[in-house]
Each structure stands twice: as C-alpha cells, then as structure tokens.
C-alpha cells in the first residue's frame, strides 16, 4: 500500500467512525413505552427542582434543618445507592480473582451498573453541597482535610469510578471497533479490579464510618463502633441482591439480546449468588447479635424503636436469608428473586434507620423529606436507567458483539 | 502475568500514592506548643442582660437580636445569632447561661471537614474559612453540641458559628462579648490560666459554686469553660457528652486504612495468582 492510500483509508476510517457515532446517538426502539411516559415528566420536573435548588438555596426544596443536615439525598441516594452498587466489586472478585469463570457473562453488565450508580448516586452528592464550586479544594490538593472520613470516601468514589471505567472500557473499545485499544485496556483489567476491590472495602465501610462521630444523635440500637464492618459485610449481599434483581429485569426487557443458552446459564448463576448472599447474611447476623450482647441493649428492644429494629432484622435479613437457602434447596428461582427484593428493602431500612429515621430519633420535630426531594431522587434513578439502556442497546454488554452487529472494522472493510 | 502486575502497580502508583500518603498522616489535630486561648463563663455572675448578644451582632455585622431570654424557653443559636442567653428556673432561682461554640480542644467539626475550612487554630479559636468550605455540612453532623449553622435559604450559603472573635484577637483585641459584659461574667485568657481561676473561685466560695467545671473534660476538653451554682443538667447542659474527644471515634477506622491499602492488594494478587495459575498453559490471555 502506498502512503497516499494509507492516509486515505485512515481518513475514511475516521470519517466512518464519526458517522457511526452520530448514528449511534439516535434513539433506538419505540419512543412511547410506558417507562418513557412515566420517566420523562419526572426527569423534567426533577431538573426544574434542581434549578430552583441552585437558584434559591437548599432550603427552598428540602426539609433539611440545622439539626438534620443530611437527609434523603445523602441517606438514600449516596449511602444506600453505593451499597446497592457493591455487586460490581463482589462479582469482579469472583470472576477475576477467584477465577469463577461461570459468572463472566454477567460481569460486564454489573460493572456498568456499578459505574453508573457511582456516577449518578455519588454525583447526587454534588446537589447536596451548599458550595459545590469549592469541591475542587479537596481534589486538587490546595486544602486536604486528611483526618476527615468524608475526604477518604470522596476520593475513593472518584478513584473507584476510574477503576470501574477501566474494567468496562474493553466493551467500549469493542463497540468502536478499536482492537488495539481493547487489548491494552483488557490488560489493565486485573490491576483495576484489585485496586477497585480495595477501594470498595474501604469506602463501603467508610460510608458507615461517616456517622461514627454522631454517636449522641443516632439511636443506640443502630449506633455501634462496628458500623463500618457492618456496612462492608452488608454491601456484599446488598450488591449481589441488586445483581439478581436487576438481572431478572434486564434479561426480560432486553431478552432478544440474550441467547437461550445464556438465559439458562443465568438461572444457575442466581443460585450461586444466592448462596453467597446467605453466607454473608449469616455473618452479618452473627455480628449484629454480638453487638447487641456486647452493648447490652436488651431493654431497648421492648420500645417502639426496638420493634422497628426487630422488624428490620427478622423480616428483612433473617427471612430473606431463609428464603435464599430454601430457594437453593428447592431449586426455586422465584424464591431467590423474592429474597433479593426483601434484602434490598432491608438494606434501605437499615441505611435510612442510621441516616434519617434513627437520626435524632428523640427530636420533637422529625425530618420528613419534601416531595421535591423524592422527585429529584426518582429523576436521578430514571436518568441512570436511560443511560444504562442507551449503552445496553449499543455496546456488547449482555452478549458478544457479533451476535447482533458486526464490529465497525468489518463494516468498513465491507464498504471498501 | 508480568504485564498485568506491571499495569496493576502502575494504576496503584499513579492514583494510590496521594491517598496512602495523605492517609498515613496523623488523624488528630496537631498539638501545638502555643498556649490556647479560652473563655470562662461564670453563670453565677450573669444577669441575662444580653449585652454579649448585642456586642456579638455588632462585631459580626449581624442584625440585632429581636427576642430575649425567657425562663425555660430554649433559644438556639442561628445563622444570625452566634451566641444566645437562655434562662433556667433552678433550685437556686433563675440562672442565665450564654451559649455559643465550645471551641473544643480536639473539635469534631475540624476532624470532619474535608477541606480544612473548619479549622482549630493554634491560638485556640475554631474558625470557618469561606474560600475552602464546600458546604457538605459534615461538620454539623459531627459536632456534638450542634453548633455550626448553615444558611439554607441562600444560593451562596455560609456556615456560621462563633469564632471567638478570631479576627479581633489577631489585632490584639479580646472577644466582643468579653469586652462588653457589664458583670465580668465572661473572662478571656489562656486555657490554663482560666482553669486555675475557675478552681480558685470554687475553692474560695464553695457554697456559691457547684464543684464542677463544665468543659474541662467534656468532649476531650473545650476552650469555653463554665461555672454554675447548680448541677449542670439543671441549666441545659448535656452532661452525658463523652469525655474522650470525638475525633477519637474515627481514629480506629482511619488508622486501619493504610494497612488495608497495602495488605488487600497483596492478598488479592496472591489469590489471583493461585486461582489462575493452573490454567495458564491452556488459556493464554487471562485478564
Ligand atoms: S462545639 Fe462544635 S463547632 Fe464548636 S469547636 Fe466543638 S465541635 Fe466545633
Ligand atoms: S460544610 Fe464546610 S466547614 Fe463544614 S465540613 Fe463541609 S466543607 Fe467543612
């Protein structure tokens, strides 16, 4: 090939890559689906509320107060959302470190979910910041508050997003047909995985450690110096339950992207994850019991909050654990899915009990989020699902690329 | 494998050092050799005249207080009232108590702040620095006395709290409230001097004082010390506040971070090698 030809073909390739990108930006699929009809108005409303929030201040849209400075946006979006995103580090641990190859088909979609969850839910942190323009201070280093748990958590969020992005990047490279880049990125995977697991261990527990100084404010049944360990252990079954839950939905909605073989295989994986969940839940319960005995809180159990505590433990940890176990024994998929949903509810309860419900539990005026705080939270979730769908429909996430679209390089070669 | 490891080390090297390096620093505020300034509030001398409130408003460019101390009405400090005087009906009659930031020796707010906007100065006052703060309100979550207040109704909100008139102190003046108290109920000096003075007052008139200095031990010791004629729970003080400092609560966690940062990757790498080795001949590309 002469030099001129090479240049010309390189140009043609670049050109067609742009055309490809443009065409990929167009929406795929039907526009008026029930999901779109529900989500679009909420997203628009959410954006308006966010605008008001930046224009008039946090007080205009939230019920936050001088005694309850952190509400739904931190307690649910950030603290609960990140626990739900724990599936990514657990699965990458199983697939890449333990070499349990059978989970490989779902690792990409889980990592994608993890990345987007961090991007949006941890991103929700920015909405909650009173002076977000100063967020660069702890990042660029002109003001490092290194004794702050929040400093650690914030940094770990950013680094972990980077790690998951690297873990996911081969899919992007495949989508763009960049074979060389894909190989290089793939080579970085194990490094990113190990780094990511380390970061996850620390910031999952760090989210709990955030509340350690609020010892006088959190109900004694939930406050313990072991919050960080409890948060870490519970993020294992929270994350995997989310993978089970999301997986069942994703595999149904994007059914045509998945082969029958993969569908069958997926069922097997659910039982495997159910086993891990049950194990982690057992460890969690054991820790909870130890703490209860150690802090001698039996008397508190007979109060109203005690009943609430028992409901969380019995109804949303012990019950789903039993369901997970019996679903494995009876080979019953539905039971596993029910257990996963119960587990997720339990995690929401637990995180909110520490951050919102049990925070200033004895105050005369309780914090209850405004409808606007709830709408913004929903809007964030919907935007995330939109982005997720956009990626799933284009990149090789659920299945191998060739199954539904030829790689770009092939198209170019054919065009020539 | 070697490529993987090299990449891994690279990732860790680039992004990790800042965090490990930063994290291994001490988690406690530095102990300085400068003697910390402090304030002693003797509630037996306070008449509830609000002079301190007015002086505070003037010194901080805030509106004059519109309400006044009423017995058994709990006024909290706000973004516009950095100090308030409350009245209590006690076994010894009406007692007035001035409230504001305690200027803890090892403040929870300082340890919480990820930008060092909340900052314990070497001279003692705990100050807030506008250009650093990102408004996360973690200081409010952490302060055991719920002192920092946030301007919820502003798009450019500040955290407001008493600064022990740090700016005035820099110019050699004493805090405005101390200067304007007509009954000398508020004294200003080094913490050591004031502790000695407080003890002297108690021992000289044991009938007049309840034998306790609130703030000597609370939350690891505070820069504002209180004397009273009655047990402190009678005049609205939280006497269940822990005696160790609040940053102590997160120390265990923060100290474990560097070791996990070193041990975890090593462990994971070892695990990875052991589980991936046996197949390495038949499947070339592992990662
Ligand atoms: S009382 Fe609260 S705001 Fe004041 S120094 Fe102590 S922790 Fe900080
Ligand atoms: S609100 Fe400001 S002063 Fe308070 S912890 Fe956050 S950054 Fe620091």
């Amino acid at each position: 090939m002469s030099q001129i030809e090479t240049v010309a073909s390189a140009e043609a390739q670049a050109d067609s890559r742009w055309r490809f990108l443009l065409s990929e930006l167009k929406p795929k699929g039907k526009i008026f689906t029930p999901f779109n009809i529900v989500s679009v108005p909420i997203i628009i409303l959410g954006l308006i509320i966010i605008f008001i929030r930046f224009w008039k201040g946090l007080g205009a849209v939230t019920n936050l107060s001088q005694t309850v400075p952190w509400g739904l946006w931190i307690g649910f979006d950030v603290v609960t959302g990140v626990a739900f995103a724990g599936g990514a580090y657990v699965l990458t641990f199983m697939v890449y470190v333990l070499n349990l190859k059978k989970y490989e088909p779902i690792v990409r979609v889980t990592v994608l979910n993890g990345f987007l969850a961090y991007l949006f839910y941890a991103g929700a942190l920015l909405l909650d910041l009173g002076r977000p323009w100063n967020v660069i201070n702890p990042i660029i280093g002109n003001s490092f508050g290194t004794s702050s748990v929040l400093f650690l958590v914030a940094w770990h969020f950013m680094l972990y997003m980077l790690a998951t992005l690297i873990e996911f990047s081969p899919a992007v490279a495949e989508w763009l047909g960049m074979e060389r880049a894909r190989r290089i990125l793939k080579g970085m995977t194990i490094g990113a995985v190990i780094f990511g697991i380390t970061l996850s261990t620390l910031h999952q527990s760090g989210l709990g450690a955030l509340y350690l100084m609020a010892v006088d404010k959190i109900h004694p049944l939930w406050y313990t110096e072991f919050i960080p360990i409890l948060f870490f252990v519970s993020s294992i079954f929270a994350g995997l339950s989310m993978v089970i839950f999301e997986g069942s939905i994703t595999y149904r909605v994007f059914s045509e992207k998945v082969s029958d073989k993969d569908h069958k295989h997926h069922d097997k994986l659910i039982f495997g994850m159910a086993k891990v969940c049950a194990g982690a839940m057992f460890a969690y319960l054991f820790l909870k019991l130890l703490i209860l005995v150690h802090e001698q809180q039996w008397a508190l159990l007979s109060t109203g909050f005690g009943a609430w505590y028992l409901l969380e433990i019995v109804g949303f940890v012990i019950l789903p654990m039993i369901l997970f176990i019996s679903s494995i024994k009876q080979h019953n998929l539905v039971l596993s899915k029910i257990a996963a949903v119960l587990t997720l509810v339990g995690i929401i309860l637990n995180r909110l009990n520490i951050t919102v419900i049990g925070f200033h539990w004895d105050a005369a005026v309780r914090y209850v989020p405004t409808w606007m705080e709830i709408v913004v939270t929903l809007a964030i979730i919907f935007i995330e699902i939109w982005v997720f769908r956009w990626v799933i429909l284009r990149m090789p996430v659920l299945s191998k690329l060739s199954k539904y679209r030829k790689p770009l390089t092939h198209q170019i070669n054919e065009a020539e | 494998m070697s490529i993987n490891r090299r990449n891994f080390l690279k990732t860790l090297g680039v992004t990790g050092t800042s965090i490990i390096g930063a994290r291994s620093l001490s988690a406690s505020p530095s102990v300085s050799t400068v003697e910390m300034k402090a304030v002693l509030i003797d509630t037996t001398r306070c008449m509830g005249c609000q002079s301190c409130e007015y002086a505070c408003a003037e010194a901080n460019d805030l509106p004059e207080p519109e309400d006044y101390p009423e017995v058994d009405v709990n006024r909290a400090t706000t973004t516009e009232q950095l100090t308030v005087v409350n009245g209590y009906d006690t076994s010894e009659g009406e007692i007035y108590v001035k409230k504001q930031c305690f200027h803890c020796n090892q403040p929870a707010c300082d340890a919480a702040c990820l930008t060092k906007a909340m900052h314990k100065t070497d001279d003692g006052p705990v100050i807030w620095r506008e250009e650093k703060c990102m408004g996360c309100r973690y200081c409010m979550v952490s302060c055991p006395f719920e002192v920092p207040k946030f301007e919820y109704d502003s798009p450019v909100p500040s955290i407001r709290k008493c600064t022990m008139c740090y700016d005035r102190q820099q110019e050699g003046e004493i805090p405005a409230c101390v200067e304007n108290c007509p009954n000398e109920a508020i004294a200003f000096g080094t913490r050591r001097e004031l502790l000695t003075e407080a003890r002297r007052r108690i021992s000289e008139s044991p009938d007049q004082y309840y034998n306790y200095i609130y703030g000597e031990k609370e939350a690891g010791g505070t820069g504002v010390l209180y004397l009273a004629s009655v047990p402190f729970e009678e005049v609205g003080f939280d006497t269940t506040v822990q005696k160790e400092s609040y940053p102590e609560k997160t120390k265990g966690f923060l100290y474990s971070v560097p070791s996990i940062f070193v041990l975890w990757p090593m462990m994971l790498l070892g695990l990875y090698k052991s589980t991936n080795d046996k197949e390495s001949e038949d499947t070339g590309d592992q990662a």
Side-chain angles (χ1 to χ4, degrees):
Chain A
M1 240 199 283
S2 78
Q3 217 176 359
I4 297 169
E5 268 172 65
T6 324
V7 172
S9 90
E11 254 169 29
Q13 201 169 336
D15 189 44
S16 77
R17 191 161 280 154
W18 276 117
R19 247 182 293 138
F20 166 72
L21 271 179
L22 276 180
S23 76
E24 289 283 73
L25 276 178
K26 285 196 200 105
K28 287 186 179 180
K30 274 192 280 177
I31 291 183
F32 291 104
T33 62
F35 172 74
N36 290 2
I37 291 170
V38 174
S39 65
V40 170
I42 291 189
I43 291 176
I44 293 173
L45 192 58
L47 292 177
I48 295 173
I49 296 169
I50 291 173
F51 177 76
I52 298 175
R53 174 255 165 278
F54 281 108
W55 176 37
K56 295 237 157 156
L58 274 164
V61 300
T62 70
N63 264 346
L64 296 174
S65 67
Q66 303 297 355
T67 47
V68 184
W70 283 356
L72 190 72
W73 289 353
I74 299 287
F76 183 76
D77 301 18
V78 181
V79 179
T80 313
V82 166
F84 284 169
Y89 84 88
V90 181
L91 264 191
T92 53
F93 175 70
M94 287 159 64
V95 171
Y96 297 107
V97 178
L98 294 185
N99 201 18
L100 301 171
K101 284 278 181 312
K102 65 171 174 173
Y103 293 96
E104 198 150 30
I106 56 169
V107 84
R108 259 192 192 173
V109 66
T110 309
V111 168
L112 173 67
N113 260 317
F115 171 72
L116 291 179
Y118 275 83
L119 191 65
F120 285 96
Y121 304 150
L125 198 69
L126 285 182
L127 296 182
D128 202 69
L129 291 184
R131 310 165 62 84
W133 54 91
N134 275 344
V135 76
I136 52 153
N137 280 339
I139 298 176
I140 60 173
N142 62 0
S143 226
F144 269 179
T146 48
S147 58
S148 168
V149 180
L150 190 59
F151 177 80
L152 175 109
V153 169
W155 260 94
H156 281 204
F157 278 178
M158 290 183 294
L159 293 177
Y160 187 62
M161 272 193 244
L162 188 73
T164 43
L165 196 63
I166 294 175
E167 289 164 22
F168 184 71
S169 59
V172 182
E174 274 167 43
W175 169 61
L176 295 173
M178 301 164 118
E179 188 44 34
R180 270 235 341 260
R182 190 197 73 90
R183 245 178 291 140
I184 296 171
L185 290 169
K186 191 105 203 191
M188 292 165 70
T189 301
I190 186 64
V193 163
I194 289 179
F195 189 45
I197 296 169
T198 310
L199 289 170
S200 292
T201 314
L202 287 171
H203 72 241
Q204 290 287 359
S205 46
L207 277 175
L210 279 180
Y211 286 87
L212 284 179
M213 281 198 281
V215 45
D216 313 306
K217 299 172 194 172
I218 295 170
H219 191 280
L221 276 172
W222 282 275
Y223 183 90
T224 141
E225 51 193 303
F226 298 106
I227 291 182
I229 297 171
L230 291 174
F231 266 43
F232 171 65
V233 175
S234 55
S235 75
I236 296 172
F237 56 81
L240 285 183
S241 294
M242 197 64 186
V243 174
I244 295 176
F245 174 69
E246 270 174 346
S248 338
I249 295 176
T250 317
Y251 273 61
R252 185 164 309 161
V253 174
F254 302 99
S255 188
E256 79 278 12
K257 289 216 172 290
V258 185
S259 67
D260 283 350
K261 208 176 103 238
D262 277 355
H263 269 299
K264 287 237 178 58
H265 184 67
H266 188 241
D267 297 348
K268 254 189 257 150
L269 298 187
I270 289 188
F271 290 125
M273 290 187 284
K275 233 181 269 174
V276 182
C277 280
M281 288 166 115
F282 187 78
Y284 179 76
L285 285 168
F286 186 69
L287 277 171
K288 276 274 196 192
L289 187 70
L290 277 188
I291 291 163
L292 205 64
V293 174
H294 175 73
E295 318 228 324
Q296 308 205 324
Q297 291 161 335
W298 305 110
L300 288 174
L301 288 180
S302 56
T303 63
F305 265 102
W308 183 238
Y309 175 86
L310 287 176
L311 178 74
E312 179 197 316
I313 299 294
V314 178
F316 297 97
V317 186
I318 297 181
L319 180 64
M321 181 180 77
I322 294 171
L323 287 181
F324 273 132
I325 295 171
S326 48
S327 93
I328 302 164
K329 286 224 174 98
Q330 304 168 12
H331 225 76
N332 183 337
L333 255 181
V334 181
L335 274 188
S336 260
K337 289 179 185 171
I338 296 174
V341 171
L342 287 180
T343 308
L344 293 177
V345 174
I347 291 293
I348 296 177
L349 279 183
N350 175 258
R351 297 306 195 256
L352 290 186
N353 279 337
I354 290 173
T355 57
V356 175
I357 299 169
F359 195 87
H360 273 304
W361 79 99
D362 50 358
V365 188
R366 300 300 317 267
Y367 160 84
V368 180
T370 61
W371 65 268
M372 290 179 280
E373 289 177 77
I374 296 170
V375 168
V376 169
T377 298
L378 287 176
I380 291 170
I381 295 173
F382 284 140
I383 298 175
E384 195 228 341
I385 296 176
W386 272 75
V387 176
F388 179 74
R389 185 174 61 177
W390 188 88
V391 176
I392 288 280
L393 286 175
R394 286 160 183 81
M395 301 186 195
V397 176
L398 289 175
S399 52
K400 299 256 155 41
L401 188 64
S402 51
K403 267 201 75 250
Y404 58 98
R405 192 178 66 76
K406 281 183 184 154
L408 184 66
T409 38
H410 291 209
Q411 291 175 352
I412 294 165
N413 290 347
E414 272 163 28
E416 283 166 2
Chain B
M1 183 56 235
S2 63
I3 290 182
N4 292 333
R5 191 164 0 150
R6 210 181 312 133
N7 277 324
F8 161 70
L9 289 176
K10 202 161 48 181
T11 323
L12 191 71
V14 172
T15 41
T17 37
S18 62
I19 290 299
I20 303 174
R23 297 261 31 93
S24 50
L25 293 175
S26 160
S28 65
S30 57
V31 183
S32 113
T33 46
V34 188
E35 278 222 58
M36 286 193 290
K37 288 286 192 298
V39 167
L40 171 65
I41 299 176
D42 189 337
T43 60
T44 65
R45 297 184 184 183
C46 176
M47 312 302 290
C49 71
Q50 274 186 300
S51 298
C52 52
E53 286 188 26
Y54 281 88
C56 178
E58 203 192 314
N60 291 290
D61 283 329
L62 292 168
E64 284 190 352
E66 274 163 18
D67 51 354
Y68 47 89
E70 268 174 283
V71 167
D72 290 332
V73 175
N74 184 43
R75 296 156 76 217
T77 58
T78 66
T79 50
E80 299 193 326
Q81 280 177 288
L82 309 184
T83 185
V84 290
V85 179
N86 282 334
Y88 297 89
D89 201 8
T90 71
S91 47
E92 299 279 321
E94 267 175 34
I95 294 181
Y96 291 94
V97 180
K98 175 185 183 294
K99 291 206 300 189
Q100 72 297 304
C101 171
F102 277 86
H103 298 279
C104 308
N105 290 354
Q106 289 178 53
C109 59
D110 169 294
C113 185
L114 74 169
T115 64
K116 287 223 168 297
M118 234 5 139
H119 175 60
K120 174 83 177 169
T121 59
D122 287 346
D123 315 318
V126 176
I127 60 167
W128 175 80
R129 295 177 289 186
E130 182 168 19
E131 72 288 356
K132 292 182 187 288
C133 172
M134 57 187 232
C136 67
R137 308 189 294 292
Y138 186 31
C139 49
M140 302 169 71
V141 172
S142 303
C143 167
F145 304 106
E146 312 206 295
V147 166
K149 298 281 153 41
F150 179 80
E151 293 173 343
Y152 281 104
D153 295 319
S154 160
V156 194
S158 294
I159 296 275
R160 298 305 305 258
K161 72 170 206 59
C162 158
T163 62
M164 212 194 270
C165 287
Y166 183 68
D167 294 340
R168 285 171 57 102
Q169 284 194 43
Q170 292 301 93
E171 284 158 22
E173 287 174 85
I174 64 173
C177 56
V178 181
E179 193 175 82
N180 287 282
C181 177
N183 293 315
E184 290 182 11
I186 321 174
F188 178 73
T190 69
R191 190 164 185 272
R192 200 158 41 136
E193 284 165 12
L194 292 178
L195 273 175
T196 316
E197 170 65 14
R199 285 201 199 95
R200 191 187 61 79
R201 288 188 199 174
I202 293 177
S203 59
E204 273 178 13
S205 5
D207 321 328
Q208 203 185 325
Y209 289 100
Y210 176 71
N211 187 8
Y212 192 81
I213 306 171
Y214 191 96
E216 182 179 9
K217 302 249 163 59
E218 276 70 21
T222 63
V224 178
L225 306 162
Y226 283 92
L227 287 174
S229 54
V230 294
F232 280 91
E233 51 272 21
E234 281 189 49
V235 279
F237 284 83
D238 183 354
T239 46
T240 62
V241 161
Q242 62 172 35
K243 301 291 187 284
E244 69 173 348
S245 87
Y246 278 77
E248 207 66 47
K249 289 268 165 212
T250 50
K251 247 183 206 167
F253 174 75
L254 287 171
Y255 279 174
S256 68
V257 169
S259 38
I260 287 187
F261 234 110
V262 175
L263 291 178
W264 243 230
M266 273 169 26
M267 227 175 62
L268 292 169
L269 208 61
L271 254 180
Y272 165 76
K273 280 180 80 175
S274 70
T275 56
N276 284 267
D277 256 6
K278 42 190 179 296
E279 288 165 75
S280 53
E281 296 105 55
D282 34 52
T283 48
D285 186 4
Q286 290 294 322

